[in-house]
Amino acid sequence: MWARAVKLGLRSWVGWRRGFTSKVDPQRSGRVTAEVIEHMERLALVDFGSQEAVARLEKAIAFADRLRAVDTDGVEPMESVLEDRCLYLRSDNVVEGNCAEELLQNAHRVVEEYFVAPPGNISLPKQDEQEPFSHI
Amino acid sequence: MAALMLRWSCLGKRWVLACIDGGSRHGRGAAIGLTSRRKRGQSSVAQQPLIAVQKSRKGEHEWAAVVGLEIHAQISSNSKLFSGSQVHFAAPPNSLVSFFDASLPGTLPVLNRRCVEAAVMTGLALNCRINKKSLFDRKHYFYADLPAGYQITQQRLPIAVNGSLAYSVSVGKKPSQVSTRTVRIKQIQLEQDSGKSLHDEPRSQTLIDLNRAGVGLLEVVLEPDMSCGEEAASAVRELQLILQALGTSQANMAEGQLRVDANISVHHPGEPLGVRTEVKNLNSARFLAKAIDFEIKRQIHELENGRKILNETRSFDDKLGCTMPMRDKEGKQDYRFMPEPNLPPLLLYDTASLPPGADPQQVINIDWIRERLPELPGKTREKLIQQYGMLPEHSFTLLNEVGLLEFFQNVIKETRAEPKKVTSWVLNIFLGFLKQQNLAVNESPVTPSALAELLNLLDRKAISSSAARQVMDMKRGNPRAINKLIGLVRKATLSRADPTVIKEILERKLSS
């Protein structure tokens, strides 16, 4: 379920990138370069782990690419599958909160009602520095 | 070669580096060049970016600085943008956090009506086109104070676009020399605020408080039409006044309700724009201008010494008075924008398009909001000038000082003295007195009634103006002045008044 969500997310992202950077080339092999994989791993903190996973990604992209066969000239892009729904407007009243204790129970470490996080962002190590991960 | 004294000044849209070098040809050339450039500038078409010109010492090459701003204003509302937890400045850590704010799985955003109204009001006040349909997106980045890993914002289609903000800058040494400038507003969007990080360096950890996470923000993007720190500061000040007049944000920079990021670059006029840097989190009106001017100078200095400007994010160190690189050198951030799948498009209506029989709680009518917009600062100033015959610069001062306008209006109500007299007294003597004592208007020991009485006495010629000034001296805690005052009153009443009675009356009046 999580993998599918990631795939959908990645597809939309890669599709968006493609749309801006390259013209449609039906002859392209659809290979995803190691550079792009590393970039995506860094951005999304997703572990591609093996060549198999990359191949699966390429197949998914090729599958989505079939959409290009459809003629969409003059058709307004759909922004949301919820476009026919009404966006509900909530009135400005305070109805939630005051549950610090409950929330902090989820935290690994807590200091005086604050969540504790490592200092700043810790960058993912570069490709050659990474240890091979096993699939979780 | 005699040492060149370089004097920087930003006369509105003209950066002038006047070289004072005992009448060198270079110096004279600069002065002549300046005048002709100004004339040319004034006749240029309004849409062109205002060029600030700064001559360098090395060659006759001019530099133009380009400043754009991204301003985040916290919306003044009871609850957050997408959840029902409270918006409040000081509260125990993590006590104003709902499950959605903490990004627990299974929670969904629910849009706060008040925040949408605030955005529409602000858009209308800034002459924007309100988009009847706007969309929400996710902006992804990882940081401990952003529990979801993304921020809900409006990147593709914001709620308001293409507006303008008029502000005023001084263009000379005299207070009357002010000029009105306009900066275009690219867009206004609704977005979530992040939580707060408290860095604990010694223990190598960061403490996270999510009270602020999810609070509604209005991001106002100003096009790079400004050319120096003073212009930027004036524009921000005017925006602050507008937001406060509308009630959409308290816009208090000290409490973090108004945050400014500046995008700054320099280039030679006629050449393409230079690489820009972003100076983030300018949280004080005082340091805003300083930081921007420093960054402009730094960039010019780097480029003149053959170095390049990096497209980076910097922060301003107010103690050192300089900007420093901020983020880790990851290069350009990729936010992986995607539509927010849990929110349908936001639809707004006007009177013509309002669907019949719609639940009024569930629809927002732009025309209805426009009709009920409060009076904006520009209009207030106009009225002051017309009603009381005051000079434009006086109207600016009255509005710029917190609480001063109300004070002034209260004095006017209770006094028979001429408005011009009241203006002069409030702006010069009263304000001067406050500044000297380092007091805000609401801390003033002199009440509007007291000042009104004083001015009445002055008007009736019961006391002289020097006596009136001495009353102010009294407030400074100068007890001898009251005796002097008694003497003067006695003189004025031709010694007919009883000194003890005078003293009593004065003390009563002064202590009120």
Side-chain angles (χ1 to χ4, degrees):
Chain A
M1 163 68 173
W2 160 240
R4 210 164 104 237
V6 166
K7 238 187 266 174
L8 285 168
L10 281 170
R11 214 182 290 158
S12 74
W13 178 77
V14 175
W16 172 83
R17 268 200 96 197
R18 286 267 187 81
F20 278 86
T21 54
S22 64
K23 297 289 167 213
V24 176
D25 179 2
Q27 305 306 84
R28 256 169 64 110
S29 64
R31 297 301 312 281
V32 181
T33 64
E35 206 180 46
V36 173
I37 295 290
E38 194 188 328
H39 186 56
M40 288 197 288
E41 283 189 334
R42 190 173 290 272
L43 282 183
L45 295 185
V46 170
D47 177 22
F48 279 90
S50 64
Q51 201 41 44
E52 213 179 44
V54 179
R56 219 178 298 140
L57 173 65
E58 288 171 348
K59 284 209 195 101
I61 295 172
F63 180 73
D65 262 344
R66 279 154 54 179
L67 280 172
R68 291 174 192 277
V70 180
D71 178 12
T72 53
D73 280 340
V75 179
E76 279 296 305
M78 171 186 264
E79 292 114 359
S80 163
V81 292
L82 303 169
E83 63 182 14
D84 290 334
R85 302 276 194 102
C86 252
L87 178 50
Y88 178 78
L89 296 172
R90 183 177 56 84
S91 38
D92 189 24
N93 300 319
V94 177
V95 295
E96 297 176 280
N98 259 315
C99 50
E101 221 179 281
E102 244 180 308
L103 291 173
L104 292 167
Q105 274 176 7
N106 267 335
H108 176 54
R109 271 177 65 210
V110 159
V111 165
E112 269 177 46
E113 298 191 316
Y114 287 96
F115 294 98
V116 179
N121 264 350
I122 300 173
S123 290
L124 208 57
K126 288 222 174 297
Q127 193 71 300
D128 39 5
E129 295 164 12
Q130 271 178 15
E131 285 165 15
F133 294 106
S134 56
H135 276 285
I136 295 164
Chain B
M1 172 143 168
L4 286 170
M5 258 178 54
L6 302 174
R7 189 182 47 176
W8 307 84
S9 61
C10 172
L11 305 177
K13 67 182 182 181
R14 293 275 171 262
W15 270 80
V16 175
L17 183 58
C19 298
I20 308 161
D21 180 22
S24 74
R25 195 182 63 109
H26 180 110
R28 255 183 265 126
I32 296 168
L34 166 68
T35 333
S36 62
R37 239 171 287 133
R38 178 181 280 174
K39 287 217 182 87
R40 246 189 283 135
Q42 280 174 351
S43 61
S44 65
V45 176
Q47 280 310 306
Q48 299 226 350
L50 299 172
I51 295 178
V53 164
Q54 180 180 77
K55 283 180 93 167
S56 82
R57 168 162 52 136
K58 294 226 168 130
E60 291 286 327
H61 263 343
E62 305 156 357
W63 286 107
V66 169
V67 179
L69 298 177
E70 280 163 24
I71 301 168
H72 293 89
Q74 241 180 39
I75 300 175
S76 177
S77 62
N78 299 326
S79 57
K80 296 184 180 177
L81 182 58
F82 292 117
S83 69
S85 39
Q86 194 186 9
V87 176
H88 192 67
F89 182 53
N94 292 308
S95 61
L96 307 177
V97 185
S98 68
F99 288 179
F100 172 77
D101 303 329
S103 182
L104 298 190
T107 54
L108 292 172
V110 187
L111 184 56
N112 179 342
R113 187 198 162 87
R114 157 68 185 159
C115 293
V116 182
E117 290 172 344
V120 173
M121 283 174 74
T122 309
L124 290 172
L126 294 173
N127 309 306
C128 296
R129 182 183 82 227
I130 306 292
N131 283 330
K132 293 228 189 77
K133 177 160 91 162
S134 59
L135 307 168
F136 289 101
D137 305 302
R138 288 186 183 178
K139 177 177 176 182
H140 299 80
Y141 64 93
F142 289 110
Y143 208 68
D145 62 19
L146 194 70
Y150 60 85
Q151 174 199 37
I152 300 179
T153 176
Q154 293 188 301
Q155 192 250 359
R156 279 172 301 157
L157 200 52
I159 192 167
V161 290
N162 293 343
S164 66
L165 169 65
Y167 61 97
S168 121
V169 275
S170 53
V171 290
K173 288 223 175 85
K174 288 197 258 173
S176 57
Q177 293 172 301
V178 285
S179 156
T180 316
R181 300 279 152 81
T182 316
V183 54
R184 289 167 299 158
I185 295 187
K186 178 157 185 255
Q187 63 191 56
I188 299 178
Q189 62 200 50
L190 281 167
E191 58 182 36
Q192 291 175 303
D193 206 346
S194 65
K196 265 217 192 113
S197 310
L198 299 168
H199 299 287
D200 184 1
E201 303 271 329
R203 285 186 204 78
S204 213
Q205 61 190 17
T206 302
L207 303 179
I208 307 292
D209 173 13
L210 296 177
N211 283 347
R212 201 183 66 181
V215 171
L217 292 178
L218 284 175
E219 177 171 338
V220 182
V221 183
L222 302 184
E223 297 274 24
D225 294 343
M226 293 160 286
S227 53
C228 65
E230 194 196 343
E231 289 189 349
S234 301
V236 169
R237 181 73 188 113
E238 187 64 14
L239 180 64
Q240 233 182 349
L241 292 174
I242 292 175
L243 292 171
Q244 288 165 349
L246 292 173
T248 50
S249 170
Q250 287 166 305
N252 184 335
M253 284 184 98
E255 289 188 8
Q257 291 159 340
L258 192 76
R259 284 167 258 157
V260 182
D261 299 336
N263 293 309
I264 302 160
S265 74
V266 297
H267 68 295
H268 296 300
E271 288 179 20
L273 297 178
V275 174
R276 63 155 206 245
T277 61
E278 189 185 3
V279 182
K280 270 190 106 62
N281 287 332
L282 298 164
N283 298 340
S284 141
R286 243 188 333 147
F287 298 132
L288 178 67
K290 258 179 95 178
I292 292 175
D293 289 337
F294 173 87
E295 181 61 16
I296 292 172
K297 284 185 208 165
R298 183 194 76 89
Q299 289 195 9
I300 291 174
H301 184 259
E302 291 290 290
L303 291 172
E304 283 188 341
N305 285 302
R307 291 186 284 269
K308 290 214 163 105
I309 304 294
L310 295 169
N311 175 215
E312 60 181 352
T313 308
R314 301 173 76 87
S315 64
F316 183 64
D317 185 325
D318 51 353
K319 291 187 193 76
L320 298 173
C322 64
T323 61
M324 321 251 264
M326 204 172 122
R327 297 257 167 87
D328 14 340
K329 299 171 183 100
E330 292 249 356
K332 246 180 113 182
Q333 269 274 30
D334 185 342
Y335 293 114
R336 294 178 294 143
F337 284 100
M338 72 177 246
E340 169 54 61
N342 294 321
L343 293 171
L346 172 61
L347 298 175
L348 303 172
Y349 301 94
D350 51 25
T351 314
S353 64
L354 207 55
D359 177 3
Q361 236 304 99
Q362 288 304 313
V363 290
I364 290 185
N365 184 343
I366 301 169
D367 290 334
W368 192 91
I369 294 178
R370 186 186 284 114
E371 285 159 21
R372 284 157 186 76
L373 277 181
E375 187 177 274
L376 296 179
K379 189 79 204 238
T380 310
R381 279 185 219 119
E382 228 179 78
K383 280 165 77 169
L384 286 171
I385 296 170
Q386 278 179 5
Q387 228 177 332
Y388 304 121
M390 68 173 72
L391 296 169
E393 64 257 30
H394 294 160
S395 68
F396 273 98
T397 314
L398 266 183
L399 261 69
N400 257 336
E401 210 60 44
V402 179
L404 191 60
L405 177 62
E406 204 187 317
F407 188 94
F408 170 82
Q409 284 165 334
N410 287 336
V411 175
I412 288 267
K413 259 192 279 188
E414 298 189 35
T415 190
R416 282 182 350 212
E418 251 195 32
K420 288 208 172 160
K421 198 89 195 175
V422 181
T423 310
S424 165
W425 263 79
V426 169
L427 289 181
N428 297 324
I429 300 165
F430 175 66
L431 193 59
F433 159 70
L434 285 181
K435 292 291 176 203
Q436 229 207 27
Q437 305 279 294
N438 208 2
L439 293 169
V441 174
N442 62 3
E443 294 167 335
S444 162
V446 179
T447 64
S449 322
L451 188 56
E453 275 272 12
L454 192 63
L455 290 172
N456 278 342
L457 288 174
L458 197 58
D459 186 58
R460 275 209 310 267
K461 306 234 194 308
I463 56 176
S464 70
S465 84
S466 60
R469 273 168 218 259
Q470 298 215 346
V471 175
M472 299 302 286
D473 257 338
M474 245 298 303
K475 284 296 178 178
R476 265 177 260 242
N478 186 353
R480 258 188 289 152
I482 204 180
N483 292 323
K484 238 190 153 181
L485 199 54
I486 295 171
L488 286 166
V489 173
R490 271 204 89 199
K491 249 193 358 198
T493 57
L494 301 172
S495 301
R496 263 178 260 152
D498 181 344
T500 1
V501 176
I502 300 173
K503 185 164 192 219
E504 225 177 293
I505 298 177
L506 282 174
E507 280 185 328
R508 215 190 322 136
K509 290 255 184 283
L510 289 170
S511 62
S512 66

